[in-house]
Amino acid sequence: MKKALNTLGHLEPLIEADLEMILPWRNAPEVRNNMFTNHEISWQEHVDWFKRLQKDSSKKHFVWRENNIAHGVVCFMNYNVTTRSAFWGFYSAPRAPKGTGLKMEYAALEYAFDALNLHKLSCEVIAFNVAVVNMHIKVGFVKEGCFRDQHYDGKNYHDVIRLSILEEEWKQNKAALASRIGLMSNHVSGEERDN
C-alpha cells in the first residue's frame, strides 16, 4: 500500500497492534467532546469496530506518525471509486505536539488526491469546534452549508458544518500549505528547545 509521505510525517494503515494505543485517544474527553460518537468506548466495542473496518472497502483508517512516533488517526469514509469522492476525519493524541492537526490534514489531503485519486473530499464538523472549521477553511476547504440541530449529543442539539475541497483547489493550495507547515515546524521546534 502506498504511504502518503511528506517530510513532516506519514500515514500508515491502522493495524490490530495499534488498537491498544488508540483506544485511550478515542476515549480522552478532549477527543470525545468533538466527536459524533462521544460515549466512552469499551475494549470489546473497539475490537468489534476494527473487525468491521476490515470488511468495509469504503472506509480506510491510518495512524499518522512523525519520526516514528504515532500522534493521531486519519480516516476516510464513504470512499467511492466511481464518483471519486470521500469524507474524512481525524483526531490527534491528547499529548500530541502543537501543529499535529495541520500536519495530519496535509498528509490526509495528499493521500486523498494522490493515492485515492479523489475529485472531492468532504468533512463534517460539529459547529462548536470552531478551531477545526477555521483550520479547514485556511487549508482551502469551502463551507458548503450548515445542518441545523443535526447532531444530538445526549443532552443538546448542535449544528453541523459541511466543508469540501476539490482536486484543483488542493493543487492550488498544496505548496503554500507545505511551506506554512514547514515554517510552523521550525518555529515549534525552536520553542521546544527553549523550554
Side-chain angles (χ1 to χ4, degrees):
M1 167 168 285
K2 181 181 173 184
K3 290 180 184 176
L5 294 172
N6 61 55
T7 58
L8 302 168
H10 64 276
L11 298 175
E12 293 179 359
L14 178 69
I15 59 173
E16 190 171 357
D18 297 321
L19 293 181
E20 191 172 339
M21 172 183 67
I22 69 167
L23 181 59
W25 300 355
R26 292 180 78 193
N27 280 331
E30 59 269 37
V31 173
R32 281 190 296 133
N33 291 342
N34 292 305
M35 303 290 269
F36 289 100
T37 303
N38 61 8
H39 67 279
E40 190 157 341
I41 299 163
S42 71
W43 175 253
Q44 189 58 54
E45 183 181 1
H46 188 54
V47 169
D48 291 344
W49 164 80
F50 181 74
K51 287 178 182 175
R52 287 191 305 275
L53 284 182
Q54 304 311 298
K55 299 173 186 173
D56 189 344
S57 62
S58 73
K59 295 180 180 174
K60 300 179 181 303
H61 281 66
F62 300 89
V63 173
W64 185 81
R65 296 179 191 275
E66 184 175 30
N67 300 319
N68 294 319
I69 299 170
H71 290 299
V73 173
V74 169
C75 57
F76 297 93
M77 295 92 39
N78 304 104
Y79 170 56
N80 187 312
V81 178
T82 305
T83 62
R84 297 176 54 214
S85 63
F87 279 78
W88 86 289
F90 73 102
Y91 55 92
S92 55
R95 292 182 184 85
K98 183 178 179 182
T100 294
L102 193 57
K103 292 177 188 179
M104 285 196 304
E105 184 145 11
Y106 182 91
L109 290 165
E110 189 174 55
Y111 188 84
F113 293 109
D114 295 348
L116 295 180
N117 190 34
L118 295 186
H119 170 70
K120 180 178 182 178
L121 182 65
S122 301
C123 62
E124 292 184 344
V125 182
I126 303 172
F128 60 69
N129 196 350
V130 176
V132 169
V133 171
N134 289 339
M135 182 176 73
H136 291 330
I137 290 170
K138 286 179 184 175
V139 165
F141 278 80
V142 173
K143 184 176 172 183
E144 291 190 338
C146 175
F147 297 95
R148 297 178 308 140
D149 284 355
Q150 181 74 16
H151 174 65
Y152 181 66
D153 65 8
K155 295 179 182 175
N156 299 297
Y157 288 96
H158 302 281
D159 294 349
V160 172
I161 307 297
R162 180 174 288 181
L163 305 104
S164 71
I165 187 168
L166 303 177
E167 181 180 21
E168 282 304 310
E169 293 165 338
W170 167 240
K171 288 178 182 177
Q172 292 168 5
N173 291 310
K174 182 177 180 177
L177 178 58
S179 176
R180 179 178 166 204
I181 292 172
L183 292 172
M184 180 191 66
S185 293
N186 293 336
H187 178 68
V188 170
S189 296
E191 286 179 350
E192 288 171 353
R193 282 194 300 271
D194 293 341
N195 289 337

